[in-house]
Short mmCIF file of all heavy atoms in Angstrom, two decimals:
data_model
loop_
_atom_site.label_atom_id
_atom_site.label_comp_id
_atom_site.label_asym_id
_atom_site.label_seq_id
_atom_site.Cartn_x
_atom_site.Cartn_y
_atom_site.Cartn_z
N GLY A 22 101.36 140.98 42.32
CA GLY A 22 100.00 141.34 42.69
C GLY A 22 99.02 140.18 42.68
O GLY A 22 97.83 140.38 42.86
N ASN A 23 99.49 138.97 42.42
CA ASN A 23 98.62 137.79 42.40
C ASN A 23 98.23 137.45 43.83
O ASN A 23 99.08 137.01 44.62
CB ASN A 23 99.36 136.62 41.76
CG ASN A 23 98.47 135.40 41.58
OD1 ASN A 23 97.67 135.08 42.45
ND2 ASN A 23 98.61 134.73 40.43
N PRO A 24 96.92 137.60 44.20
CA PRO A 24 96.52 137.38 45.60
C PRO A 24 96.68 135.94 46.06
O PRO A 24 96.98 135.67 47.21
CB PRO A 24 95.06 137.82 45.62
CG PRO A 24 94.60 137.71 44.21
CD PRO A 24 95.80 138.04 43.36
N ASN A 25 96.48 134.96 45.15
CA ASN A 25 96.59 133.56 45.55
C ASN A 25 98.03 133.20 45.90
O ASN A 25 98.31 132.56 46.91
CB ASN A 25 96.10 132.64 44.42
CG ASN A 25 94.59 132.75 44.22
OD1 ASN A 25 93.86 133.01 45.18
ND2 ASN A 25 94.14 132.57 42.99
N LYS A 26 98.96 133.64 45.05
CA LYS A 26 100.37 133.37 45.34
C LYS A 26 100.81 134.11 46.59
O LYS A 26 101.61 133.62 47.38
CB LYS A 26 101.24 133.77 44.15
CG LYS A 26 101.09 132.86 42.94
CD LYS A 26 102.07 133.24 41.85
CE LYS A 26 101.95 132.28 40.67
NZ LYS A 26 102.90 132.64 39.58
N ALA A 27 100.26 135.30 46.78
CA ALA A 27 100.61 136.07 47.97
C ALA A 27 100.15 135.36 49.23
O ALA A 27 100.85 135.33 50.24
CB ALA A 27 99.99 137.47 47.90
N LYS A 28 98.94 134.77 49.18
CA LYS A 28 98.41 134.05 50.35
C LYS A 28 99.27 132.82 50.66
O LYS A 28 99.52 132.50 51.82
CB LYS A 28 96.96 133.63 50.10
CG LYS A 28 95.97 134.79 50.17
CD LYS A 28 94.56 134.30 49.93
CE LYS A 28 93.56 135.46 50.02
NZ LYS A 28 92.17 135.00 49.78
N GLU A 29 99.71 132.13 49.59
CA GLU A 29 100.57 130.97 49.81
C GLU A 29 101.88 131.38 50.47
O GLU A 29 102.35 130.72 51.40
CB GLU A 29 100.86 130.28 48.47
CG GLU A 29 99.65 129.59 47.86
CD GLU A 29 99.96 128.97 46.51
OE1 GLU A 29 101.15 128.98 46.12
OE2 GLU A 29 99.04 128.48 45.86
N ALA A 30 102.45 132.49 49.97
CA ALA A 30 103.70 132.97 50.55
C ALA A 30 103.50 133.40 51.99
O ALA A 30 104.36 133.15 52.86
CB ALA A 30 104.23 134.15 49.72
N GLU A 31 102.35 134.02 52.27
CA GLU A 31 102.06 134.45 53.64
C GLU A 31 101.93 133.25 54.56
O GLU A 31 102.46 133.25 55.68
CB GLU A 31 100.78 135.27 53.66
CG GLU A 31 100.39 135.73 55.07
CD GLU A 31 98.97 136.28 55.13
OE1 GLU A 31 98.24 136.14 54.15
OE2 GLU A 31 98.63 136.83 56.18
N ALA A 32 101.22 132.22 54.09
CA ALA A 32 101.02 131.03 54.92
C ALA A 32 102.35 130.37 55.25
O ALA A 32 102.60 129.95 56.37
CB ALA A 32 100.10 130.04 54.20
N LYS A 33 103.25 130.30 54.24
CA LYS A 33 104.56 129.70 54.48
C LYS A 33 105.36 130.53 55.47
O LYS A 33 106.05 129.99 56.34
CB LYS A 33 105.32 129.58 53.16
CG LYS A 33 104.77 128.52 52.23
CD LYS A 33 105.57 128.46 50.94
CE LYS A 33 105.00 127.39 50.00
NZ LYS A 33 105.76 127.34 48.72
N ALA A 34 105.27 131.85 55.34
CA ALA A 34 106.01 132.73 56.25
C ALA A 34 105.51 132.60 57.67
O ALA A 34 106.29 132.57 58.63
CB ALA A 34 105.89 134.17 55.78
#
Side-chain angles (χ1 to χ4, degrees):
N23 186 320
N25 291 329
K26 289 185 178 180
K28 286 181 179 179
E29 291 177 6
E31 178 192 10
K33 289 180 180 179

